[in-house]
Amino acid sequence: MARTLASLASLPSGRVGKWVVLALWAVLLVPALMPAGRLGEVEQNDNSAWLPGDAESTRVVERVARFQPADTVPAIVVYDRPGGVTAADLAKARADAEAFRGVEGVEGTPQGPVPSEDGQALQTVVQVHKDRTGWEGIGKVVDALTEVGEGKKEDAGGLGFHVTGPAGQAADSIKAFGGGGGLTAITASVVVLILLLTYRSPVLPLLPLLTAGGALVTSEAVIYGLARNAGLTVNKQTGFVLTVLVFGAATDYALLLISRYREELRRHEDRHEAMERALRRSGPAIVASAATVAVSLALLTLASLNSTQGLGPACAVGVLVGLLAMTTLMPALLVVCGRWIFWPTTPSYDATPPGAAADGLWARVGAAVSGRPRLVWAGTALVLAVMTLGMLALRADGLAGKDQFTGRPQTVVGEEIRARHFPAGSGDPVLVVAKADAAQGVRTALSGVPGVARVAAPVVKGGEALVLGELRDDPSSTAAMRAVERARAAVHRVEGARAQVGGTTAVLFDTREAADRDSAVIIPIVLVVVFLVLALLLRAIVAPLLLMATVVLSFGATMGVSALVFEHVFHFAGEEASFPLLAFVFLVALGIDYNIFLVTRVREEALRHGTRRAALTGLSATGGVITSAGVVLAGTFAAMASLPLVFAAELGFAVAFGVLLDTLVVRSVLVTALILDVGRWMWWPSGLFRRHTTLQPPTDRPDLESVLGAR
């Protein structure tokens, strides 16, 4: 390992090697720009595409194709007038329905307009063929429908017009993402701002920013190739998570490298030698950190939900490309630029550089913790455990369509109007496919299901029957999903019917079930794999067990606080079904990063000074850079709140809060106190555990002056 790192370190830090590295990256980036820009072409944003092939709703899509186009999504057009719709309103709605037929992407004849029972609203259902338009094209079709409906507002006389339903929700979701460019710009701005505050240099932040941007472009090109040729499922969610992860994680690696490089510039007059030493010393921690994150994310391929399954390898690619960029391109750029890149605080060569300042923040924190470490870690753990109780408020059973946005776009307003005047499930029915000879029995069974408002007469074709059921509740609501679950139980009991239940609500229900299964399977595996990575890195068992315990405790505390904030501060309706698993993987993988940065430095110092002294030395030496890295990563994930989507806001808040908790409390207080209390047993059963008996007595508790003097 050491010999490999030495060979790699000599390339970007070499007098000739740095130019070779820059040339190779230029050759790589130029052809990557085109496929990276085409990532949207291979996105699959339809919920049904996220499900495995054996899901019941997926099989219904195949069976229902003989009755209706399988690749259509309903747009529900709602008109309303509080004083009651007029004959002129009805005439306009009929004229609009006729005009809708001419909109490119509309399939068949619109159904309606249908008046509401209270006479205050009209409803027309328009089928949009998503295969002809593409997912992005649904937004264009909805815009065209809106243009028809609002084309002559002066003739409407105050008649309200809104497009909602699945197509309306899809259109507003597409607009919410805004092509991803806005999020990238905000994320980059956050990184630059934090780096400016960290280094107080107007030029240095440009290098990590350019390198992270190059890593993002290269990652998107690789992911495009995998989606196009290897069947990888990607969607809008993949795109925005990839952006913040690459910028955040890559910048973290840059901060660790730059910090060590600046140290070495004070020890070595030749910047090439300084960079080589910096890469050798920081390389193991950076590689271990990236490997932990990448492996944890790659384990998402075990998911049954295709969207989660595709997100894992896509983000793993982003982390690995970010690692490659920050250990090759970034060092080459730093060496080419020279010491002036740190202006105005340019590090100068000093053969005997001073140690850490005795009055530094993290040195003072270490001194405070070292007084009574057992009391500190026990008290901190107790507070975190109390914070986990907030998880009782977690409602990760999916979000209704109208609850998926942080604002009030057209589809939300339209859905609220429709719910006031029409049965909530009208326009988006449950689809039941069965054998033709059992059609009436299936209809009877479906009619008796609580939550089903009415059932249409069966339609029979070629030995198969299609039965449509209208739900009482919003098709994307939890109540509707419970009704689908009851409907399945009822129709499955019809002997010989081979009945299956599908439709929008069934897809959402199957998605929730798959997400629950994925969490139960993947979370334990991630814990085991991360433990093994730590055990190999630290050559110990006790330290990895303690570090894993702190990260899991931090995750629980983060989820507890997040659940309470979502409900009582942001007033969100709940969480997506996949939220706990994704939050867990990101928080555990990224949270263990900072423990790796700290503990690898502690282990390095322990080889010379013993564990207790090394714990304080490691904290004072890495406190600043790890805190900066945590703030950068938290800031990039917080940028997700710029997307007006509840899922983005929730995941961004949870990861940002969790990273700050790990950085400021878990790593600096809890882990440091544990190392001080456990002492040499941290390294059991490695040789370092046995070696400590000759370095310092187990009862030695160093004061701050002796720690700093050892440096």
Side-chain angles (χ1 to χ4, degrees):
M1 176 70 172
R3 185 173 299 177
T4 302
L5 287 175
S7 301
L8 292 175
S10 64
L11 184 60
S13 60
R15 299 181 186 278
V16 177
K18 61 179 183 284
W19 299 109
V20 174
V21 169
L22 292 179
L24 289 174
W25 272 98
V27 171
L28 179 66
L29 284 172
V30 171
L33 290 172
M34 183 175 293
R38 298 175 61 187
L39 185 59
E41 297 178 8
V42 294
E43 291 176 348
Q44 299 181 45
N45 294 291
D46 185 358
N47 284 346
S48 62
W50 301 358
L51 289 167
D54 60 351
E56 184 167 337
S57 53
T58 304
R59 295 198 296 267
V60 169
V61 170
E62 301 167 356
R63 294 179 65 185
V64 83
R66 70 176 63 196
F67 297 96
Q68 60 185 40
D71 294 311
T72 59
V73 56
I76 302 176
V77 180
V78 179
Y79 303 83
D80 73 301
R81 186 184 293 278
V85 295
T86 65
D89 294 336
L90 184 58
K92 181 188 184 307
R94 287 172 176 166
D96 287 350
E98 186 62 28
F100 293 156
R101 295 179 62 184
V103 173
E104 184 177 358
V106 169
E107 178 74 20
T109 302
Q111 301 171 8
V114 177
S116 62
E117 291 186 2
D118 61 11
Q120 296 181 2
L122 301 168
Q123 175 176 282
T124 301
V125 180
V126 182
Q127 296 293 335
V128 179
H129 201 296
K130 63 176 181 289
D131 262 12
R132 284 211 308 264
T133 64
W135 192 257
E136 297 282 351
I138 292 178
K140 296 178 181 177
V141 174
V142 170
D143 287 343
L145 297 177
T146 303
E147 185 177 352
V148 170
E150 297 184 344
K152 296 182 179 180
K153 287 190 175 181
E154 64 276 9
D155 296 339
L159 180 67
F161 177 91
H162 299 280
V163 181
T164 184
Q169 293 166 14
D172 283 327
S173 295
I174 292 166
K175 292 176 183 176
F177 286 107
L183 178 62
T184 302
I186 293 172
T187 304
S189 300
V190 169
V191 170
V192 170
L193 177 62
I194 296 174
L195 291 178
L196 284 172
L197 294 174
T198 300
Y199 291 114
R200 298 178 178 84
S201 169
V203 184
L204 181 60
L206 296 178
L207 297 189
L209 183 65
L210 289 173
T211 307
L216 178 62
V217 169
T218 306
S219 302
E220 289 176 339
V222 173
I223 293 165
Y224 170 83
L226 293 174
R228 175 70 72 185
N229 303 306
L232 182 68
T233 300
V234 296
N235 50 37
K236 289 292 184 185
Q237 175 181 291
T238 306
F240 76 73
V241 172
L242 179 71
T243 297
V244 298
L245 181 63
V246 170
F247 270 97
T251 306
D252 273 9
Y253 306 147
L255 284 166
L256 196 66
L257 175 63
I258 291 171
S259 175
R260 203 63 187 249
Y261 177 50
R262 190 156 56 175
E263 280 187 43
E264 298 299 333
L265 283 174
R266 295 189 177 100
R267 296 189 176 100
H268 303 280
E269 189 171 7
D270 184 354
R271 67 182 188 273
H272 300 86
E273 185 179 357
M275 178 56 73
E276 183 176 1
R277 294 294 181 90
L279 279 171
R280 287 189 185 188
R281 294 193 175 189
S282 62
I286 294 175
V287 171
S289 170
T292 302
V293 177
V295 169
S296 299
L297 291 169
L299 288 172
L300 291 177
T301 56
L302 300 175
S304 58
L305 203 60
N306 291 337
S307 56
T308 304
Q309 188 181 90
L311 179 66
C315 289
V317 167
V319 169
L320 293 176
V321 173
L323 168 68
L324 179 65
M326 289 304 174
T327 53
T328 56
L329 178 58
M330 182 72 181
L333 289 172
L334 285 168
V335 174
V336 167
C337 292
R339 294 174 185 264
W340 70 267
I341 197 68
F342 291 94
W343 181 86
T345 57
T346 305
S348 57
Y349 169 64
D350 184 350
T352 57
D359 59 350
L361 171 63
W362 297 109
R364 294 197 299 271
V365 170
V369 171
S370 65
R372 302 185 70 179
R374 184 167 301 176
L375 180 64
V376 170
W377 73 253
T380 305
L382 179 61
V383 171
L384 293 175
V386 171
M387 292 166 64
T388 64
L389 296 177
M391 290 183 67
L392 296 174
L394 199 66
R395 297 167 294 167
D397 51 4
L399 292 169
K402 64 182 178 63
D403 296 324
Q404 293 177 3
F405 302 90
T406 57
R408 288 173 54 80
Q410 173 181 220
T411 185
V412 172
V413 177
E415 188 60 40
E416 291 174 350
I417 293 172
R418 190 168 75 96
R420 287 198 298 267
H421 303 292
F422 293 93
S426 60
D428 195 5
V430 169
L431 310 178
V432 182
V433 184
K435 294 177 67 173
D437 56 5
Q440 289 301 327
V442 168
R443 182 188 184 190
T444 300
L446 187 61
S447 299
V449 173
V452 176
R454 59 178 60 91
V455 180
V459 177
V460 178
K461 284 187 179 180
E464 293 264 272
L466 174 64
V467 181
L468 304 182
E470 183 180 291
L471 296 170
R472 297 186 185 279
D473 300 291
D474 176 359
S476 59
S477 67
T478 302
M481 285 188 271
R482 285 197 291 265
V484 163
E485 187 176 16
R486 291 191 293 265
R488 283 181 171 171
V491 301
H492 289 172
R493 286 196 294 266
V494 179
E495 189 174 352
R498 208 168 66 88
Q500 293 177 317
V501 178
T504 301
T505 308
V507 168
L508 295 174
F509 175 79
D510 287 342
T511 299
R512 187 181 68 178
E513 292 295 297
D516 290 344
R517 173 266 176 199
D518 293 343
S519 295
V521 171
I522 295 174
I523 286 177
I525 297 176
V526 170
L527 290 174
V528 171
V529 170
V530 172
F531 168 79
L532 292 176
V533 171
L534 288 174
L536 290 173
L537 175 68
L538 301 175
R539 305 181 184 91
I541 293 177
V542 174
L545 285 173
L546 291 177
L547 293 178
M548 291 298 298
T550 64
V551 171
V552 171
L553 188 59
S554 175
F555 166 74
T558 297
M559 294 297 281
V561 171
S562 297
L564 295 175
V565 169
F566 296 160
E567 182 175 359
H568 299 292
V569 178
F570 297 153
H571 304 294
F572 293 151
E575 295 81 33
E576 289 286 3
S578 59
F579 170 75
L581 175 60
L582 296 182
F584 174 85
V585 171
F586 282 118
L587 286 171
V588 168
L590 297 173
I592 210 72
D593 267 13
Y594 304 113
N595 284 333
I596 288 175
F597 293 162
L598 171 65
V599 176
T600 52
R601 185 60 179 260
V602 170
R603 191 178 190 281
E604 180 183 332
E605 298 290 338
L607 291 169
R608 298 192 296 270
H609 306 301
T611 298
R612 292 189 174 89
R613 183 173 298 178
L616 300 182
T617 304
L619 177 62
S620 63
T622 64
V625 64
I626 292 178
T627 300
S628 298
V631 172
V632 167
L633 192 61
T636 56
F637 271 90
M640 289 168 59
S642 64
L643 298 175
L645 297 168
V646 169
F647 175 80
E650 290 181 337
L651 186 62
F653 175 88
V655 176
F657 179 83
V659 165
L660 291 177
L661 185 66
D662 276 325
T663 304
L664 301 176
V665 178
V666 175
R667 182 263 314 167
S668 60
V669 178
L670 180 58
V671 173
T672 300
L674 278 170
I675 296 174
L676 287 168
D677 190 31
V678 175
R680 67 189 181 94
W681 285 93
M682 286 288 293
W683 317 115
W684 185 86
S686 70
L688 184 57
F689 161 74
R690 296 185 296 274
R691 182 177 176 181
H692 267 249
T693 57
T694 63
L695 287 174
Q696 68 179 57
T699 57
D700 180 28
R701 295 187 182 276
D703 56 24
L704 183 59
E705 288 74 15
S706 66
V707 170
L708 297 177
R711 292 181 56 80

